[in-house]
């Protein structure tokens, strides 16, 4: 049981060590990447609607006209 807890702690510690700049950026500037995540979700949803698109140029045109 103690080994599992140590492993979990090490995993969390490594995650914080790798991402500490982003974590501190939130507390200093109150900025997140929520807008980028939202935009990515919209693109994924748009792609799901037009699955199997053969004309890539038109797909990119539609993407830029809707979300730009």
């Amino acid at each position: 049981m103690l080994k599992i807890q140590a492993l979990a702690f090490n995993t969390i510690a490594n995650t914080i060590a790798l991402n500490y700049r982003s974590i501190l950026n939130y507390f200093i500037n109150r900025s997140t990447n929520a807008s980028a995540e939202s935009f990515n979700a919209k693109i994924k949803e748009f792609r799901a609607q037009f699955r199997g698109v053969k004309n890539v140029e038109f797909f990119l045109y539609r993407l830029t006209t809707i979300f730009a």
Side-chain angles (χ1 to χ4, degrees):
M1 183 71 170
L2 189 58
K3 225 176 194 183
I4 293 172
Q5 289 175 341
L7 181 62
F9 178 80
N10 288 338
T11 301
I12 294 170
N14 287 337
T15 300
I16 292 172
L18 291 173
N19 298 301
Y20 75 93
R21 287 187 178 153
S22 298
I23 295 168
L24 290 178
N25 189 38
Y26 170 75
F27 289 105
I28 294 169
N29 300 323
R30 293 289 184 208
S31 67
T32 64
N33 66 343
S35 59
E37 293 292 335
S38 173
F39 183 67
N40 286 338
K42 288 178 183 178
I43 291 174
K44 283 184 179 183
E45 182 181 336
F46 187 75
R47 284 178 54 199
Q49 289 176 349
F50 295 99
R51 181 173 266 151
V53 172
K54 298 203 189 287
N55 189 346
V56 176
E57 289 181 21
F58 180 71
F59 173 77
L60 294 174
Y61 168 75
R62 290 285 297 156
L63 191 63
T64 55
T65 55
I66 292 173
F67 296 114

